[in-house]
Amino acid sequence: MNSPDRPATSIQLAKNANTLAGESFSFSTIPGTRYNDVKLLLQKTLHRNCDAVRKLATPCDPTVSTMACKLTENIDADLEVCLSMMTRCRKSYTYSWGKTYHTYPQRGRNYIDPLDSWTIDILEWTGCSEPNGMRADYIVPCSDAFLLFVAHHIKAYLSERVVAGLLKPEDCRLILPVVNEDTKAKRASIYPAGYWDYKAFAHAECGMFPLSSGVERQVAPAPHAIVANVEIAADSDGLDEALFAGQHNRRFAWGLTTSSRIIHAYIFGPDDIWSSTEMDITSAEGRLAFISLLVYWSLCSVDGLRLDPTIRYVIDESVGDPHLEIDVHEMDESTSQMEKRTYYSKRCIGAADRLFGCHARYLAASTSRETLDTPEFLVKGMWMTSNSDPAGDSCENLVYAALQGMLDSSSKCTGSFSQFASTGLVYLSQGDSSVADSTVTAFVGLPDTTHVRQHRRTVSQWAGNSISAADNPSQVVISIADAMTALNAAYVKCKILHGNISDRAVLLRETAARV
């Protein structure tokens, strides 16, 4: 079995967290050597100024799409009126050294209401006259204010239509800023000393929240509810080093970057990264473009959010601990028909959370919720390079058959490789039919990808925990020796060379290590 792209994290579920184990990764855990790797990756794979990026989030339903366009127009018109009114009533003062600051009237003895407060922050953002742009830590509250202003109008507009029966509340969401106490570049430690300072870089996030949520900065939701990581850089040169971590139900990732007053939206795929045309917050056109993206995110389908509809997070105390439901299409040998089977998981063994690598995700799984703590299978999801060869499944079957048939006959290597259960493409529902998931269907309208990749899942019998779960050095040494014996036998006896020979490919059992 191919190895995870990174060592497994803790497999224990936090007692009071509505989140799956292993789904939260700190930027500080990324080795410093990734700096040059990421720069090289982005030089090769970044497609800049793609008009189609924002359109990927356009609601598919024509009625909802029309509603989104109307809502965008309403928010844009109200924002321009508010900015114009606030500009007329503010007073400007200039220090002797040339620094200008502004004051705004308050309503009576009360503090300015939230809508006016957000408008003031947005106005400061759009009207900044600093020659080198705004400091990153100053941009954070301004960008938050923009999100809140838009969410305020979205909540009012969509709530009316939910009451009228034109929309279902579960089909609507608010995009709100997430409280982030640390604006001093969480990932600063991965760069050379002094590379970043807090004036030049900050990290923020925006998340999906129910329509019933208050329009305010929110406590960080579980990672699967984060819409996009937001990188805020005062210097545009810092944008090319942006890193975005994925989630287990994420097919591809959205990202936002802000350099002073310029916003870009990004889509991160397995091989390519696409950047939207710039959204200049100082221009009416740029503000309209950013509003439209936020409205699209609030109304689009799961596919538009780049989430995987075949992996669903379930957070419902009535059915037990938070867990994943994973759809796998398997061949029913009795009927020779493809059938959909659901697996359940709450343990991530390896996460696809990098911009480069094998993009394989490993989940310990069971066929029922009652056996989540004693997994029976390992479900591997991956994006494999494809030449549209329909024999892909049979080729993988032959590899597993060769390994099991030849090595299990040797007492020395019996059970060295996990027992294969099934493999197949991932299918997405589109109306009354299904379509195989691939980069071709996922990125319609974007420039051609480096490779056409198919979304596949393989199910094998549960082999054990990551080698990081070993209790002592002796277990590690013995397991590596067992694994190397098996890998050598696979090459000598079956002419199969493992594609990633490393300790990360080893899963431990009490009796032996399996790969």
Side-chain angles (χ1 to χ4, degrees):
M1 145 178 84
N2 289 334
S3 71
D5 194 34
R6 55 168 292 146
T9 56
S10 171
I11 57 176
Q12 297 300 318
L13 190 63
K15 291 183 178 180
N16 298 317
N18 287 332
T19 180
L20 287 175
E23 69 180 355
S24 179
F25 302 99
S26 168
F27 286 108
S28 63
T29 64
I30 303 173
T33 55
R34 284 194 178 273
Y35 171 69
N36 290 329
D37 293 336
V38 173
K39 279 189 70 73
L40 180 62
L41 172 81
L42 289 171
Q43 288 172 4
K44 291 182 176 181
T45 64
L46 177 58
H47 306 275
R48 294 185 181 275
N49 299 318
C50 298
D51 291 330
V53 168
R54 287 189 299 109
K55 295 179 182 178
L56 286 177
T58 306
C60 299
D61 186 292
T63 302
V64 178
S65 180
T66 300
M67 194 179 297
C69 291
K70 181 64 175 177
L71 176 54
T72 298
E73 293 173 358
N74 291 348
I75 298 174
D76 178 64
D78 193 54
L79 176 59
E80 296 306 314
V81 169
C82 289
L83 290 176
S84 178
M85 291 178 60
M86 199 61 70
T87 300
R88 290 197 300 269
C89 72
R90 77 178 179 183
K91 295 181 179 180
S92 300
Y93 300 88
T94 303
Y95 293 106
S96 58
W97 55 86
K99 174 71 175 180
T100 300
Y101 72 97
H102 309 286
T103 61
Y104 301 86
Q106 294 182 348
R107 295 181 177 178
R109 299 175 63 182
N110 298 322
Y111 288 103
I112 298 175
D113 68 25
L115 204 60
D116 285 346
S117 178
W118 299 331
T119 303
I120 291 171
D121 284 337
I122 296 170
L123 185 60
E124 290 297 304
W125 192 12
T126 62
C128 175
S129 59
E130 296 293 326
N132 297 320
M134 299 179 71
R135 283 174 30 158
D137 54 339
Y138 287 173
I139 297 175
V140 173
C142 298
S143 64
D144 285 359
F146 201 107
L147 294 178
L148 294 169
F149 185 98
V150 174
H152 169 84
H153 289 74
I154 289 176
K155 181 180 177 73
Y157 185 92
L158 298 186
S159 296
E160 290 180 359
R161 278 140 190 83
V162 167
V163 172
L166 301 176
L167 287 171
K168 297 179 181 179
E170 59 268 25
D171 293 334
C172 310
R173 60 190 77 88
L174 298 179
I175 309 302
L176 298 170
V178 172
V179 173
N180 183 3
E181 299 296 336
D182 180 15
T183 60
K184 294 185 179 180
K186 289 184 177 180
R187 56 172 196 167
S189 60
I190 73 172
Y191 292 101
Y195 185 83
W196 289 105
D197 66 50
Y198 76 99
K199 296 180 182 180
F201 178 83
H203 176 76
E205 291 173 333
C206 56
M208 297 179 288
F209 296 89
L211 194 60
S212 58
S213 301
V215 181
E216 57 190 357
R217 292 176 181 85
Q218 299 284 336
V219 175
H224 66 271
I226 293 292
V227 173
N229 282 333
V230 183
E231 306 282 352
I232 299 177
D235 184 347
S236 60
D237 290 341
L239 297 180
D240 286 349
E241 285 83 49
L243 288 171
F244 297 92
Q247 296 89 17
H248 304 325
N249 65 329
R250 179 77 60 182
R251 294 163 72 217
F252 308 108
W254 277 101
L256 286 174
T257 58
T258 299
S259 175
S260 187
R261 299 181 297 266
I262 304 298
I263 301 172
H264 287 89
Y266 290 78
I267 281 290
F268 294 87
D271 300 293
D272 296 82
I273 304 168
W274 296 270
S275 167
S276 71
T277 50
E278 69 177 33
M279 294 173 277
D280 187 346
I281 208 68
T282 64
S283 71
E285 182 180 1
R287 293 191 289 271
L288 175 62
F290 191 33
I291 291 171
S292 69
L293 177 63
L294 297 176
V295 171
Y296 289 164
W297 279 349
S298 297
L299 281 169
C300 70
S301 64
V302 169
D303 182 61
L305 289 170
R306 321 324 291 166
L307 303 178
D308 187 346
T310 66
I311 296 183
R312 298 170 297 278
Y313 275 79
V314 178
I315 302 177
D316 185 348
E317 293 182 359
S318 65
V319 297
D321 292 334
H323 62 274
L324 292 171
E325 293 180 347
I326 310 165
D327 293 338
V328 177
H329 288 81
E330 301 177 338
M331 182 65 69
D332 188 329
E333 296 182 358
S334 63
T335 62
S336 297
Q337 298 292 322
M338 192 68 71
E339 301 289 342
K340 184 172 72 174
R341 188 175 187 180
T342 300
Y343 290 82
Y344 304 90
S345 173
K346 69 173 183 179
R347 293 170 62 180
C348 176
I349 304 302
D353 64 334
R354 293 290 178 262
L355 299 186
F356 55 96
C358 66
H359 292 275
R361 176 180 289 114
Y362 298 79
L363 296 163
S366 303
T367 54
S368 70
R369 295 187 181 93
E370 287 70 26
T371 56
L372 279 170
D373 293 323
T374 55
E376 310 160 67
F377 299 96
L378 186 71
V379 177
K380 179 179 72 171
M382 67 224 114
W383 289 84
M384 298 180 64
T385 302
S386 171
N387 294 319
S388 300
D389 182 2
D393 286 344
S394 60
C395 288
E396 192 165 4
N397 287 336
L398 290 174
V399 169
Y400 273 96
L403 289 171
Q404 294 166 8
M406 298 190 71
L407 298 187
D408 283 356
S409 62
S410 168
S411 59
K412 190 174 183 180
C413 297
T414 299
S416 297
F417 287 84
S418 299
Q419 295 294 308
F420 172 74
S422 68
T423 185
L425 297 173
V426 174
Y427 289 89
L428 304 178
S429 297
Q430 290 190 353
D432 297 330
S433 60
S434 297
V435 60
D437 194 14
S438 71
T439 51
V440 174
T441 57
F443 298 129
V444 176
L446 290 176
D448 293 338
T449 61
T450 305
H451 303 285
V452 174
R453 290 184 177 267
Q454 291 181 326
H455 192 186
R456 307 175 65 82
R457 288 206 178 106
T458 296
V459 180
S460 57
Q461 290 186 356
W462 175 245
N465 295 310
S466 166
I467 195 171
S468 62
D471 294 328
N472 57 66
S474 297
Q475 288 184 349
V476 176
V477 173
I478 294 171
S479 62
I480 292 296
D482 288 346
M484 293 306 295
T485 299
L487 292 167
N488 182 66
Y491 178 70
V492 173
K493 294 178 177 293
C494 309
K495 305 304 179 187
I496 296 173
L497 180 63
H498 196 285
N500 189 355
I501 302 176
S502 70
D503 62 314
R504 299 177 185 180
V506 181
L507 296 177
L508 300 179
R509 298 193 69 176
E510 289 185 5
T511 56
R514 290 196 181 186
V515 294

